[in-house]
Each structure stands twice: as C-alpha cells, then as structure tokens.
C-alpha cells in the first residue's frame, strides 16, 4: 500500500514539474536605477541593478570561475562622453558555497539580488544605456533559464522624461501580455494539481494509521442519533474541520517556510541523517518491535474536548484524526507541499484543499450514516500485514537519506554496490514474508496465500532479479534517482565493455563540417548541427526527421539527461541512425555578424548573440524557455509528437523517439 502511495506522491511532483516546464519562466525580475537623481558633473554615482527572485530559484553572480559551468551575469554598456565607468559591476552580498555538481565554488543570489556599477559623471545631460544577461536555476525542479534585459537611464535634458515615459509604457504593454498568458496557463496547472492531490487524499485513507479511525468516527457520531438534523450538521462540520486543519496548517507551512526550507531538508546532512533514523524507527515499529503513539498529553487534551459534544467535540474529533493519522499522511502531504510551494500563495492552498477534501469525504459520510460501518472489512491480520510491508519499504527508502549525507561528505559508507546489496536483501525478505515464510510478533496465522499476496511476492522477487545485474555495473536506469551514482561503483563491468567495444549504432559516412562545430559538440560521439536552418536542410537531404535539442552550457539537467538517458544503447542507436540532431544552445555568448541581428517579436529586443537568438526561437515557436526541451520535427518544422522535457525514464524516451519516427514515415 505504501508503495502505491509513494508512486502517487512522486507522480504528483513529476507532473507539477512538467507543468512548470510548459510555461514561460521569469524567475528574476530586474529594476535598474541611479543612486542619485540630481548628480552634477564630477560626481561619483552608482548604477543599481536589483532583482526580486522567486522562491526555489537562484540567479548566478559574476564573481566566480566562469569555467565551472554556470553562466555568470554579464553587462554591456554603451560608452559615451557623458560618463566614465570605475571598475566593474560588483555584487552586493552574494551567497557563496561549494557546488558538488560543478565541483567548485559558485556565487549566487536567492530571494533578492543587487549589483552596482560606479560611474563618474563627465557631462550633462547624462545618458547610461546597455544590456545584461543572466542565468537562473531552480533548486526544486532543476530547470535553468536564460534571461536578458536592457536599460537606459538619464539625468538632465528634455529627452530624459520622454524616454522614461516611453520605456514605462513599453514595459506595461509587455507585462500585460505576459500576465494574460500566465493566467490562462495557471488555471490548467491548478486544476491538475487539485486532481492529483485529491487522488493522493483517497490513497491516504487506506494507510494503517487512518483506516482504524473510521470505527472511532462512527462510534462518536452514533451518540447523536436522538436529533438527526443536528447530528448531520455536526458531521458536516466535522468534515469541514478536517479540511480546514489540513489546508490552513499546510498552507502556512508552505508559504512561511517554503521551498528554501525544503531545499535545506533535502541537501543538508543533519536533516538527512535525522530522516534516516526516523524511517528506521518507524520500520522497527511496523515490524512489531514497539508501538509509536502521539504524546499522551496531546492526544488526551484532544480526546477530552471530544467528550464535550456539539461543534467543539466535532472539531476536536477532527483534530485527533489529523494528529493520529499524520505519521502515515505526512509523506503524502509533504510531497504536495514541496510540489506546490514555488513562491505562490494559491498553489499550496489548492493542493492541500484537494488532498483534505478527498481525505475528509469518507469520514464525513460515515459520520452521517454510521450504519455503513457494518459493510467495512474488519481491521486485523490483513492490516498488520500492510504495516509489515510498509516496514520493509521504510527500510529501503530510508537508505536514500543516509546516501545523500554519505555522498556529500564522502564517508564511503554506502557505495553503489553496498546500497544495492541491502535493497536486494530487503526485497528478498519482503517476498518471503508475503509467501508466509517469515512471521512477526503481531501477525495472525496464515492458513493459505491469497492471489494478491502471491502477485505482490512475484513483483518483489522480480524486482530483485532486476537489481542483481546492478551489482556488476548495470546502469539500472529506472532507479537512478534512488541509488548512488555509477561513479561510486567499484567493479563496473558495463563500463569495461563499453570502453573496449564502444556503443553500437550506424554513423553516417557523410563528411561532417557543421556550422559552429569547431566550438560546440554533442556527447557520446554523436554528430549533429548547431544551426537550425543548416540542420533542417541536412534532414531533407538525408530524408530523416529532426531531433531538436534546446540545451545550454550551464544546464545541469541537460547534462543529466545526456549522461543517464542519451547514453543508453537503445536511445543512442536511434539518435545516430534515425534522426538528424540539431542542438541549439540558448546561453552561448558567440556574437553574430551585425547583418544577422534582428529585433524579437516577443520582447522587442535586438538579438545579437547565438544564444539569445536560439532562446528567442524557443520562446516564440514553442512558448517555453526552460531546458532541456526536445522536439521531433518533420522537414517543414511541424511537431511529430508532443515535445518532451526533463525525464529520466529511458523507456519513455525510446517510445518518444519511436513514435516520432513512425509519424514521420506516415
């Protein structure tokens, strides 16, 4: 049961992440102003760049090694006689830390950003204009987006006020258009989040902590039979109280602590070790070693208020339900809050509302119609079996937290093969338990094996068979998000074979001298194009569909997709043999000849570099500005299938490529 709930929670997070990819992301909103409005000739003043950054996002500064990978914020100024720059643009209070992914010290801003450029006023009127571009990445989804802006500041002269008014009018028009676009997409996002949260709430009802509360609910409301109208009103109030408690508390936590808190919980060693210990303690409890209960003073206080009856009793009955059930519903609620706490007020409310409505529904119905209890299966041996299965799952999932701390501090406790060995043993024991070969202290006698138990045992043993090749270096792509990285494996037979034999797949014998290929490259020896028009012409000549890859030098998830998905032999063979690859780098700084510059229809800015033109192409053609983003096209540039974003499911990617080829051949 826990595995089903975990799948629902993970699916919720993945789909919400998918929704985020399908929108124009603008995580950092910048303003530019002068530190003094009435400067005189000879004064030193600052150009002040400030940004408001959305929660879960960070924007990179400019005071670290540009060779690491992330794109540093950069500025270009239109020099003129009215001012002289003093030094470079300096970040104000940027955060610095060692990044494990980039293997170096990086500097970035969270929540707010400020940078300053000092200038000397040489003459009036003063005019300072220029452009800047920056990279923002999400700690929650791994998305990275490139942004750019332009500025023009004036002191003195009649043109100053006019230019400022025109600039503000232009910003207002662009802002209004973006607002309308975001409103229409936000409605779809909220509806999807509500539906998935509702389904998660239904799944939570069948957890061991929640199911036994149904008889308690009926017992409480059966005392009000003398006044049926009042009893029904109290029952409705009871359901409303459950919804209110979950929604209000959950939303307050999401908004006040937000994804920054979630990021701390997911990356720092201390909470990860704590979570590991908590999971192991719960597993021991589910195995029957001891019983975990809420502190007596909390539950007793709540239960004491239940006895008062009326609306107060209904409320405290609801509060008791939330307290007692939270040890099982907590992981589901946490997944919803992490998925929805992206700096918005409305999304966590909608997520918690959907969950709590579904969770409260059966309790409210049983409160209104207590006689329905006689139709429910009695809690007993089957429910204890659910707890034991839950214990095995807790052991397996709890290792992930220890693994995070282990990798961060290089303790070497859980290398990949050690981790897999523990999982293999855990799921072998789970299979034996389901077959009745293991018995715990609270288990009932098992005279025969039911078909569902046998099916679950088969699933458990099949999973073990799948994991065994991983002990010899098999990539186990389906588990890449749960087990330690391949680099920690001591004996990687798969790597040895690849190093000696190389990956398969037909490579075109045609000479390859693609534009920009002297400084842009594809991974795994793939050949492709880095200019859209050139790539489309090659696709027509070879009569192949196009694999269009929107990527970036500083895109972490792009590298992860290439390492975990593109490297799979099935994917690699299809990319080599079936498609012409066009990789468009949206953050490349290569400045193009002036005759190739153009003004964007999207934001009205002149696009002068290769990266900016590629980014503008992605936004105007597909209304998306996050990477990675993959499109399969015919020779006219039409989509063959729906585009695909970050997804480490190799089978899904293979199906994506096969479907595109099939539609192209049609």
């Amino acid at each position: 049961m826990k595995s089903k709930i975990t799948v629902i929670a993970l699916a919720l997070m993945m789909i919400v992440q998918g929704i985020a990819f399908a929108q124009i992301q603008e995580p950092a909103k910048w303003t530019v102003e002068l530190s003094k409005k009435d400067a005189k000739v000879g004064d030193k003043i600052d150009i002040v760049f400030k940004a408001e950054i959305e929660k879960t996002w960070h924007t990179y500064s400019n005071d670290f090694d540009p060779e690491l990978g992330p794109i540093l914020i950069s500025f270009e100024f239109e020099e003129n006689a009215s001012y002289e720059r003093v030094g470079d643009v300096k970040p104000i209070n940027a955060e610095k830390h060692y990044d494990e992914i980039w293997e170096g010290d990086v500097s970035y801003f969270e929540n707010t950003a400020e940078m300053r450029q000092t200038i000397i006023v040489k003459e009036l009127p003063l005019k300072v204009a220029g452009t800047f571009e920056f990279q923002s990445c999400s700690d929650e989804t791994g998305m990275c987006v490139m942004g750019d802006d332009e500025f023009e500041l004036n002191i003195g002269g009649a043109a100053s006020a006019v230019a400022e008014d025109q600039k503000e009018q232009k910003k207002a028009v662009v802002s209004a258009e973006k607002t309308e676009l975001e409103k229409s997409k936000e409605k779809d996002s909220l509806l999807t989040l509500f539906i998935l949260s509702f389904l998660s709430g239904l799944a939570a009802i069948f957890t061991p902590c929640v199911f036994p509360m149904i008889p308690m609910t009926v017992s409480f409301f059966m005392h009000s039979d003398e006044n049926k109208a009042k009893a029904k009103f109290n029952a409705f109030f009871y359901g409303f109280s459950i919804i209110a408690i979950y929604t209000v508390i959950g939303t307050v936590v999401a908004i006040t602590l937000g994804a920054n808190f979630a990021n701390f919980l997911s990356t720092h060693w201390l909470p990860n070790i704590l979570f590991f210990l908590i999971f192991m303690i719960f597993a021991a409890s589910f195995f029957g070693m001891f019983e975990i209960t809420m502190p007596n003073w909390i539950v007793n206080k709540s239960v004491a208020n239940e006895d008062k009856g009326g609306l107060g009793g209904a409320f405290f009955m609801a509060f008791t339900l939330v307290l007692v059930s939270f040890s099982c519903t907590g992981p589901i609620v946490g997944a919803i809050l992490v998925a929805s706490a992206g700096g918005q007020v409305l999304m966590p409310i909608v997520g918690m509302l959907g969950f709590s409505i579904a969770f409260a529904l059966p309790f409210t119905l049983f409160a209104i119609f207590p006689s329905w209890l006689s139709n429910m299966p009695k809690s007993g041996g089957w429910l204890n079996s659910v707890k034991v299965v839950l214990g095995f799952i807790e052991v397996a999932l709890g290792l992930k937290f220890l693994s995070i701390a282990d990798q961060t501090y290089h303790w070497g406790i859980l290398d990949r093969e050690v981790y897999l060995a523990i999982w293999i043993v855990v799921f072998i024991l789970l299979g034996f338990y389901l077959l009745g070969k293991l018995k715990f202290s609270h288990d009932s006698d098992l005279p025969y094996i039911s078909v569902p138990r046998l099916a679950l045992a088969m699933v458990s043993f099949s999973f073990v068979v799948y994991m065994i090749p991983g002990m010899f270096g098999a990539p186990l792509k389906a588990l890449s998000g749960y087990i330690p990285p391949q680099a920690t494996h001591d004996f990687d037979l798969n790597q040895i074979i690849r190093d000696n034999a190389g990956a398969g797949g037909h490579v075109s014998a045609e000479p390859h001298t693609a534009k920009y290929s002297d400084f842009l490259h594809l991974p795994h020896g793939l050949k492709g194009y880095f200019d859209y028009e050139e790539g489309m012409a090659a696709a027509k000549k070879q009569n192949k569909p196009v694999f269009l890859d929107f990527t970036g030098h500083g895109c972490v998830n792009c590298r992860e997709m290439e390492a975990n998905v593109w490297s799979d032999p099935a994917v690699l063979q299809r990319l080599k043999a079936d498609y012409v690859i066009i990789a468009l780098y949206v953050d490349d700084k290569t400045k193009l000849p002036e005759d190739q510059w153009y003004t964007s229809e999207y934001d009205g800015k002149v696009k002068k570099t290769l990266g900016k033109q590629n980014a503008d192409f992605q936004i105007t053609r597909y209304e998306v500005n996050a990477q990675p983003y993959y499109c399969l096209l015919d020779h006219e540039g039409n989509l063959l299938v729906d585009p695909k974003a970050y997804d480490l499911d190799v089978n899904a990617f293979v199906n994506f490529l096969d479907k595109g080829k099939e539609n192209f051949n049609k």
Side-chain angles (χ1 to χ4, degrees):
M1 183 60 64
K2 172 67 180 245
S3 59
K4 294 180 181 178
I5 296 168
T6 303
V7 169
I8 291 174
L10 291 175
L12 169 68
M13 298 178 71
M14 290 178 65
I15 292 180
V16 171
Q17 178 178 323
I19 292 169
F21 267 102
Q23 299 177 359
I24 299 296
Q25 302 292 327
E26 193 177 2
K29 297 178 175 61
W30 290 85
T31 58
V32 186
E33 60 186 8
L34 294 171
S35 59
K36 292 176 64 176
K37 303 296 184 184
D38 56 350
K40 303 184 295 295
V41 173
D43 284 354
K44 276 189 178 183
I45 61 174
D46 286 343
I47 307 170
V48 183
F49 302 86
K50 291 185 177 181
E52 295 291 331
I53 304 172
E54 291 183 6
K55 289 184 179 180
T56 80
W57 289 81
H58 59 269
T59 298
Y60 289 105
S61 180
N62 65 346
D63 54 342
F64 62 95
D65 185 357
E67 299 298 324
L68 283 179
I71 304 302
L72 281 64
I73 186 171
S74 59
F75 300 83
E76 289 188 8
F77 295 86
E78 296 178 7
E79 305 290 350
N80 62 66
S82 68
Y83 74 96
E84 176 185 332
R85 288 195 294 142
V86 179
D88 297 321
V89 183
K90 302 294 185 184
I92 308 298
N93 298 325
E95 298 184 32
K96 295 183 178 181
H97 82 117
Y98 182 81
D99 193 299
E100 293 287 336
I101 296 176
W102 298 115
E103 298 182 347
D105 293 317
V106 299
S107 177
Y108 58 86
F109 298 98
E110 290 182 332
N111 300 319
T112 60
E114 181 177 340
M115 305 195 73
R116 289 181 174 244
Q117 169 68 65
T118 301
I119 63 171
I120 299 175
V121 180
K122 305 295 287 185
E123 62 181 46
L124 294 175
L126 169 71
K127 178 183 177 182
V128 182
T131 62
F132 61 97
E133 60 181 52
F134 53 93
Q135 183 183 49
S136 301
C137 296
S138 170
D139 301 320
E140 185 175 295
T141 65
M143 288 189 297
C144 289
V145 299
M146 292 298 299
D148 61 83
D149 208 342
E150 57 188 22
F151 60 93
E152 181 176 326
L153 305 170
N154 299 272
I155 294 180
S160 178
V162 175
E164 194 65 30
D165 288 343
Q166 290 177 342
K167 183 179 179 182
E168 291 300 322
Q169 291 174 6
K170 180 180 177 181
K171 283 187 175 180
V173 171
V174 173
S175 176
E177 292 175 349
K178 289 183 178 179
T179 300
E180 290 300 318
L181 179 64
E182 292 300 319
K183 282 182 178 179
S184 63
K185 292 182 177 180
E186 184 179 1
K187 291 179 180 178
D188 295 336
S189 303
L190 293 174
L191 178 61
T192 303
L193 178 61
F194 180 86
I195 292 173
L196 289 169
S197 300
F198 186 87
L199 294 175
S200 297
L202 292 178
I205 296 164
F206 298 97
T207 58
C209 312
V210 179
F211 190 85
M213 293 296 293
I214 295 179
M216 292 178 57
T217 299
V218 177
S219 175
F220 176 80
F221 283 96
M222 283 181 68
H223 296 302
S224 303
D225 281 348
E226 62 228 18
N227 187 334
K228 293 185 177 180
K230 184 178 179 180
K232 288 186 178 180
F233 179 79
N234 288 346
F236 278 115
F237 183 78
Y238 167 65
F240 174 78
S241 298
I242 297 173
I243 296 171
I245 291 169
Y246 266 115
T247 302
V248 172
I249 294 178
T251 302
V252 168
V253 169
I255 293 174
T256 57
L257 299 178
N260 286 334
F261 183 69
N263 184 50
F264 168 79
L265 294 181
S266 64
T267 59
H268 197 274
W269 71 268
L270 181 59
N272 278 287
I273 293 296
L274 180 61
F275 290 156
F276 167 72
L277 294 175
I278 289 174
F279 267 62
M280 296 304 108
I281 291 171
F282 269 90
S285 173
F286 291 153
F287 290 148
M289 186 175 180
F290 48 80
E291 196 71 30
I292 294 179
T293 59
M294 293 294 294
N296 289 334
W297 68 271
I298 297 179
V299 178
N300 291 341
K301 182 70 174 177
S302 181
V303 172
N305 281 279
E306 292 173 17
D307 297 333
K308 295 179 180 179
L311 298 181
F315 175 81
F316 281 100
M317 179 66 187
F319 193 66
T320 300
L321 168 64
V322 173
L323 286 177
V324 174
S325 64
F326 195 77
S327 60
C328 284
T329 61
I332 308 173
V333 172
I336 294 172
L337 291 180
V338 170
S340 63
Q344 301 186 45
V345 175
L346 194 56
M347 288 195 76
I349 294 176
V350 170
M352 292 308 301
L353 187 63
F355 173 85
S356 58
I357 288 175
F359 186 78
L361 184 61
F363 289 97
T364 305
L365 292 176
F366 276 109
I368 298 172
F369 306 105
S371 61
W372 287 3
L373 181 65
S374 59
N375 297 322
M376 291 293 295
K378 306 299 181 184
S379 61
W382 73 274
L383 198 57
N384 188 70
S385 296
V386 172
K387 290 179 66 176
V388 172
V389 171
L390 185 62
F392 282 111
I393 301 297
E394 293 276 320
V395 171
L397 295 181
L399 286 176
K400 176 61 178 174
F401 299 108
L402 180 59
S403 175
I404 292 172
D406 179 62
Q407 293 174 47
T408 302
Y409 288 87
H410 309 290
W411 295 335
I413 300 173
L414 279 181
D415 287 346
R416 186 181 176 93
E417 58 265 48
V418 175
Y419 194 103
L420 282 173
I422 297 174
W423 268 37
I424 289 171
V425 171
V426 165
F427 284 96
I428 287 176
L429 292 176
L430 173 57
F432 282 135
Y433 174 79
L434 291 168
L435 292 177
K437 304 301 182 182
L438 288 177
K439 187 176 180 181
F440 290 87
S441 58
H442 294 99
D443 281 329
S444 304
D445 290 332
L446 190 66
Y448 64 91
I449 302 296
S450 65
V451 173
R453 263 185 104 114
L454 177 62
L456 289 174
M458 294 171 65
V459 170
S460 184
F461 285 125
S462 298
F463 186 47
V464 169
V465 173
Y466 169 76
M467 288 190 290
I468 288 175
M471 294 294 293
F472 305 98
L476 303 182
K477 302 291 186 178
L479 299 178
S480 60
Y482 298 95
I483 58 180
Q486 195 87 23
T488 65
H489 205 106
D490 292 332
F491 178 65
D492 190 346
L493 184 61
N494 193 52
Q495 181 65 48
I496 295 172
I497 295 174
R498 282 202 305 266
D499 289 344
N500 286 276
H506 170 71
V507 181
S508 173
E510 184 178 341
H512 193 79
T513 55
K515 195 175 182 180
Y516 310 124
S517 61
D518 54 330
F519 60 90
L520 295 177
H521 309 282
L522 290 170
H524 311 304
L526 290 166
K527 300 296 183 182
Y529 298 85
F530 306 98
D531 176 83
Y532 180 77
E533 299 297 335
E534 183 183 25
M536 293 298 292
K540 291 180 181 179
K541 184 177 181 181
Q542 299 177 37
N543 194 29
K544 291 181 179 180
V546 169
F547 178 85
L548 182 59
D549 169 28
F550 289 101
T551 185
H553 298 293
C555 173
V556 176
N557 274 359
C558 301
R559 303 293 84 77
E560 191 173 355
M561 284 291 295
E562 292 163 3
N564 291 284
V565 178
W566 289 31
S567 63
D568 184 87
V571 174
L572 197 57
Q573 189 275 334
R574 285 164 172 78
L575 289 175
K576 286 185 175 182
D578 299 339
Y579 285 89
V580 169
I581 303 173
I582 304 177
L584 300 183
Y585 281 79
V586 301
D587 56 4
D588 193 84
K589 304 290 188 183
T590 303
K591 196 161 187 175
L592 300 173
E594 190 169 349
D595 60 355
Q596 295 182 25
W597 298 358
Y598 69 88
T599 301
S600 169
E601 296 179 359
Y602 173 72
D603 58 12
K605 298 177 182 177
V606 178
K607 305 301 178 182
K608 302 178 182 179
T609 66
L610 178 63
K612 287 185 177 181
Q613 291 192 2
N614 289 337
D616 184 66
F617 177 73
Q618 183 185 9
I619 292 173
T620 55
R621 177 69 68 92
Y622 303 107
E623 296 185 351
V624 172
N625 69 336
Q627 298 80 41
Y629 196 70
Y630 308 111
C631 304
L632 305 183
L633 310 177
D634 64 14
H635 295 161
E636 305 304 320
N638 301 311
L639 289 170
L640 297 170
V641 293
D642 291 336
K644 198 169 188 62
Y646 175 77
D647 182 2
L648 294 178
D649 187 339
V650 172
N651 290 331
F653 208 82
V654 169
N655 292 336
F656 170 68
L657 296 174
D658 287 344
K659 187 64 176 178
K661 182 182 178 182
E662 177 186 340
N663 291 342
F664 175 79
N665 291 334
K666 288 180 181 179

